Amino acid sequence: MSSPILKLIAQRIALGIVLLLAVSVLIFAGTQILPGDVAQAILGQSATPESLANLREQLGLNAPAYVRYFHWLGGVLTGDLGTAMSSGQDIATSIKGRLWNTLFLAFWAAIVAVPLAIILGLIAVRYRNGWVDKLISGLALASTSFPEFFIGYVLVYFFAVKWQIFPGISTVYDGMPFGERMQAIALPATALTLVVLAHMMRMTRAAILNVMQSAYVETAELKGLSAFNVIRKHAFPNAIAPIINVVMLNLAYLIVGVVVVEVIFVYPGMGQYLVDHVTKRDVPVVQAVGLIFAAVYITLNIIADIAAIVANPRLRHPK
């Protein structure tokens, strides 16, 4: 790999680190300006002023905000995410299993959504402006018009309540057999697939159609290549950079945007964990989950940038 690419990769990684630090400041500041008193929320309305003062001192709430921020950031950098106020459990230990569940769900949704979106995009381009293209584009547009909670509840109604094929509550646990786990995540994975499928398909179609207007594609057509071969050999490889970009963005969404889907199916992932502790005003958990979501999103965006640079020589030489 040549040095200009290494330089661009190093720049992207450095920018990602700076951005993550900025996000950590926003997350910490956002949790500090929330209304209410953390100590009061933990001890309840019957707490005495002395017990509230002792708890604030114990939690370090009397220290200046910047001191608490650097103390929290130092803990994060050493792998210590703190302790949940509501349960007293170690956050890093609790998040480990939840993060695995969310990644497992996102992985299987991506395994279905990514190839299906690219295939549908290629078919739409092959039969562009025909009834197949209009049917695929129409279904994709309708899919993007429905919010996640609507898709989730429709799936629950038909597949869990009416036909009783899959469970409506996606309970998973350690040591659960693989087959049972796959059956449990069938509905939330389907909901996530439908949410991201249309966007990736439409972007794939648009990227390939843009390349199809190039002179070399017209030359390939004049040589007598079939429409399928023109798309496969000339259009798709040159449209791969924007396609990778949109795929990565949707993969990021599959991980950080699962909150609604996990709540609907009571799936024990990061989103459900976050919502449970937001209601308890458990600030350390909210900070930790928010920072992990931000890190995942920024990392996948950096990977998308690097993949686009490697796949497209013009991005390596912008001038």
Side-chain angles (χ1 to χ4, degrees), residues 3-302:
S3 57
I5 295 182
L6 292 176
K7 184 179 178 182
L8 287 170
I9 292 174
Q11 288 175 343
R12 294 297 190 279
I13 294 174
L15 182 63
I17 293 172
V18 172
L19 186 59
L20 189 57
L21 282 174
V23 171
S24 73
V25 174
L26 290 176
I27 290 173
F28 185 84
T31 54
Q32 298 306 305
I33 62 176
L34 288 174
D37 185 354
V38 175
Q40 189 79 64
I42 295 174
L43 297 178
Q45 296 298 324
S46 59
T48 63
E50 292 77 12
S51 61
L52 288 172
N54 290 334
L55 184 58
R56 290 192 190 101
E57 184 66 27
Q58 180 183 344
L59 297 175
L61 298 176
N62 294 327
Y66 72 90
V67 174
R68 283 182 279 133
Y69 168 73
F70 284 112
H71 181 263
W72 171 65
L73 186 63
V76 170
L77 293 176
T78 57
D80 180 13
L81 298 177
T83 304
M85 291 179 176
S86 55
S87 62
Q89 295 178 340
D90 180 67
I91 296 175
T93 304
S94 301
I95 279 181
K96 187 178 178 181
R98 298 277 188 158
L99 182 59
W100 163 250
N101 288 340
T102 293
L103 292 176
F104 184 80
L105 176 61
F107 172 78
W108 286 106
I111 284 291
V112 176
V114 173
L116 186 58
I118 293 175
I119 291 172
L120 289 175
L122 292 172
I123 293 174
V125 172
R126 169 64 182 84
Y127 300 100
R128 62 184 180 278
N129 300 326
W131 70 269
V132 174
D133 179 24
K134 292 177 181 176
L135 177 64
I136 293 175
S137 299
L139 290 176
L141 189 62
S143 175
T144 55
S145 303
F146 294 122
E148 298 152 86
F149 70 87
F150 179 79
I151 294 174
Y153 284 126
V154 168
L155 291 174
V156 169
Y157 175 74
F158 284 104
F159 290 95
V161 177
K162 196 173 180 63
W163 300 328
Q164 299 183 354
I165 299 175
F166 298 111
I169 297 177
S170 302
T171 303
V172 295
Y173 52 86
D174 292 339
M176 188 176 190
F178 182 75
E180 292 182 17
R181 182 179 282 264
M182 291 301 292
Q183 188 178 21
I185 69 163
L187 292 186
T190 302
L192 287 173
T193 298
L194 292 175
V195 168
V196 300
L197 176 68
H199 184 223
M200 286 192 290
M201 190 285 293
R202 286 167 61 84
M203 293 303 294
T204 300
R205 179 182 180 277
I208 296 177
L209 281 179
N210 186 46
V211 175
M212 292 290 285
Q213 298 173 1
S214 303
Y216 60 86
V217 172
E218 293 180 3
T219 303
E221 290 174 339
L222 291 174
K223 286 181 178 177
L225 288 178
S226 66
F228 176 75
N229 282 330
V230 170
I231 295 172
R232 183 175 63 87
K233 292 183 177 179
H234 297 280
F236 181 70
N238 287 286
I240 196 68
I243 292 174
I244 289 174
N245 209 313
V246 74
V247 166
M248 284 297 175
L249 288 176
N250 280 277
L251 290 181
Y253 178 80
L254 283 177
I255 297 173
V256 306
V258 297
V259 176
V260 174
V261 172
E262 288 188 357
V263 170
I264 290 173
F265 294 97
V266 200
Y267 184 73
M270 291 286 285
Q272 182 72 51
Y273 186 61
L274 174 63
V275 172
D276 287 346
H277 288 80
V278 165
T279 58
K280 299 172 185 174
R281 209 183 182 284
D282 202 326
V283 173
V285 174
V286 175
Q287 290 172 337
V289 175
L291 192 62
I292 290 173
F293 278 165
V296 170
Y297 196 85
I298 291 171
T299 301
L300 288 176
N301 272 277
I302 291 174

